[in-house]
Amino acid sequence: MLTRKRIPAQNMQTYIEAVPGWNSTVFGVQFGVLVAVLVILTLGMIGRGLIVTFLPRMMKKIADERKGFEDFQITSRFPLGAAAAGFIWWHFFTILSTTEGIILNDEFIFWILSLSKAALLIGGLLGAIRLVEFVEVIARLIDDDGELDGTQVTLIDALQSVLKLLIFVIGVVLIADGFGFDLGAIIAGLGIGGLAFAFAAKDTISNIFGALTLLLDRPFKIGDWIKVGSSEGEVVGIGVRTTILRTSNDTVITLPNGKLVNKDIENYGKRRWRRYRPVLSLDLNSDAKDVEQFCRGVEELISAHEGTTKKEDSFAKVSAISKDSIEISLNVYWTEGGKVERDGKEDLLLDIAALAQDKKLRFHDPRVRSSSN
């Protein structure tokens, strides 16, 4: 024998009528209905508590405590918890509002459903936007060493920005639809005002396409030191609209992406080597053979230094003779910049000074006038 399955509203009515004295009124509301409202509110708070408590633990286990996850788990749980509570409230209050045999104020139903839907949609929107940052956690899990380089950081930042924008637009549409706005009229209005909006936002659109161009062409990445016109600094951020540089004076320069793609960009970060061309001045009275041996010795020092490269193109040659000095030009290529280059220069110059002392050569002092033998 087949039994007819009860619909949710019938179940709700059964539960309400099971409450002792359910039909008595408290504050103008049936006691059973009041109990049902309190139970629904409690269920929503329990759902919120479960999300807030267990979601971070689940995500933390998945992410294996990767760097950058702590901030994610703290801030994402609250909007998602609100969304869970809103869903529970909206679902059960909708059933309650369609249950026969109960007395509920229409205004109460309207506001309780509206607030529940607001918690669901707004909490879901904020939670979804915050969940976008989990893209970085996934990227770290996939990456071999768990550390992202500048290019990966740039791509992840751009992907997160695009996803947040899409989620925001979709969320706004869902919220508008959830509160009964006429989407057809809204879309029609957007169509009419689309041209005006596009004209007003042309700079923003240009910057967004500029960001896409930068990401596809990759003229630089985060961490590179670049020069654009009169602006020079380290790339610390590439956003949807702007690129941020930090200068050697620790100031910040903001460059619109739309203008950046139309300018010449000099990227020091892509250098394969750093060229160093000092000039040494020896006393004019130095012995020619000693000077020649000194030059060969300097070339050996350059070749033997572990921080140099392009050995075949490196040299130490007499380049000029003035009335006071013999000029020796050096051509050196360093493999790295920054501290490595500075330390390498110091070591090389001190070795050259020691070599000059060994050869009994004196560097030219412009304060001392040379005399002929």
Side-chain angles (χ1 to χ4, degrees):
M1 179 178 177
L2 296 175
T3 58
R4 185 172 178 267
K5 187 177 180 180
R6 289 182 174 180
I7 62 174
Q10 291 176 326
N11 287 331
M12 180 71 74
Q13 184 177 3
T14 301
Y15 297 143
I16 292 175
E17 292 177 353
V19 177
W22 74 273
N23 205 24
S24 59
T25 58
V26 179
F27 303 113
V29 181
Q30 291 168 308
F31 180 68
V33 174
L34 183 61
V35 171
V37 170
L38 293 176
V39 170
I40 293 172
L41 291 175
T42 302
L43 288 175
M45 295 306 297
I46 292 174
R48 176 189 177 278
L50 291 175
I51 293 294
V52 170
T53 302
F54 291 104
L55 179 64
R57 297 180 183 178
M58 293 171 56
M59 293 298 184
K60 189 173 183 180
K61 184 177 181 181
I62 294 173
D64 194 24
E65 299 182 357
R66 294 281 181 160
K67 181 181 178 182
F69 183 71
E70 293 77 7
D71 179 63
F72 162 79
Q73 71 174 20
I74 292 173
T75 58
S76 65
R77 54 183 177 172
F78 296 110
L80 292 178
F87 173 77
I88 293 173
W89 293 335
W90 175 75
H91 176 71
F92 285 106
F93 279 127
T94 300
I95 296 175
L96 183 63
S97 65
T98 59
T99 302
E100 297 180 358
I102 65 171
I103 302 173
L104 275 177
N105 185 281
D106 291 339
E107 187 175 354
F108 170 80
I109 288 295
F110 171 78
W111 281 109
I112 198 68
L113 288 177
S114 297
L115 292 175
S116 300
K117 192 177 294 184
L120 169 61
L121 295 175
I122 296 176
L125 173 62
L126 296 178
I129 290 176
R130 195 64 182 88
L131 279 172
V132 168
E133 298 193 10
F134 195 55
V135 171
E136 181 178 350
V137 179
I138 296 175
R140 290 183 183 277
L141 289 172
I142 297 174
D143 193 67
D144 294 334
D145 58 3
E147 294 294 331
L148 304 178
D149 58 29
T151 302
Q152 291 172 319
V153 171
T154 300
L155 292 174
I156 289 173
D157 287 344
L159 178 60
Q160 288 177 339
S161 298
V162 172
L163 288 176
K164 286 179 180 179
L165 180 61
L166 289 175
I167 291 172
F168 178 78
V169 172
I170 294 173
V172 169
V173 171
L174 291 177
I175 291 173
D177 181 58
F179 284 98
F181 290 96
D182 187 353
L183 291 182
I186 294 176
I187 295 174
L190 290 176
I192 295 173
L195 183 60
F197 173 79
F199 180 78
K202 62 178 181 177
D203 290 338
T204 299
I205 296 173
S206 174
N207 290 329
I208 292 175
F209 279 101
L212 293 176
T213 301
L214 293 176
L215 292 174
L216 292 175
D217 292 346
R218 297 185 185 180
F220 54 80
K221 63 180 183 297
I222 291 178
D224 284 347
W225 189 277
I226 67 172
K227 183 177 181 181
V228 183
S230 60
S231 301
E232 181 177 348
E234 179 187 0
V235 180
V236 295
I238 304 175
V240 175
R241 295 185 62 254
T242 60
T243 293
I244 309 298
L245 304 184
R246 185 171 294 279
T247 69
S248 57
N249 293 325
D250 203 34
T251 59
V252 172
I253 300 176
T254 302
L255 300 174
N257 291 330
K259 296 181 179 179
L260 190 60
V261 294
N262 295 320
K263 291 187 177 182
D264 295 332
I265 301 173
E266 187 173 2
N267 189 345
Y268 295 97
K270 288 186 177 293
R271 290 184 295 178
R272 296 169 297 172
W273 34 259
R274 279 75 174 164
R275 194 176 185 182
Y276 177 48
R277 294 186 291 179
V279 176
L280 307 177
S281 298
L282 296 179
D283 189 274
L284 183 62
N285 297 319
S286 301
D287 183 78
K289 286 189 176 181
D290 290 339
V291 172
E292 183 180 4
Q293 292 176 1
F294 174 74
C295 290
R296 301 295 81 77
V298 171
E299 289 178 345
E300 291 177 2
L301 290 174
I302 295 172
S303 179
H305 199 288
E306 62 180 8
T308 61
T309 185
K310 293 173 67 70
K311 314 287 187 178
E312 67 281 359
D313 295 324
S314 302
F315 59 80
K317 300 289 185 182
V318 175
S319 58
I321 298 178
S322 69
K323 64 184 183 68
D324 296 319
S325 64
I326 300 173
E327 307 293 331
I328 300 176
S329 296
L330 275 61
N331 193 50
V332 186
Y333 297 91
W334 301 104
T335 56
E336 296 183 50
K339 186 177 185 302
V340 174
E341 182 180 0
R342 292 192 298 270
D343 291 345
K345 287 179 180 179
E346 181 182 72
D347 294 340
L348 179 62
L349 292 175
L350 290 176
D351 289 342
I352 290 174
L355 179 62
Q357 290 178 353
D358 183 61
K359 298 295 183 182
K360 295 182 172 50
L361 294 173
R362 292 187 303 172
F363 291 102
H364 170 63
D365 187 348
R367 297 171 300 177
V368 179
R369 187 174 181 180
S370 63
S371 59
S372 302
N373 291 332

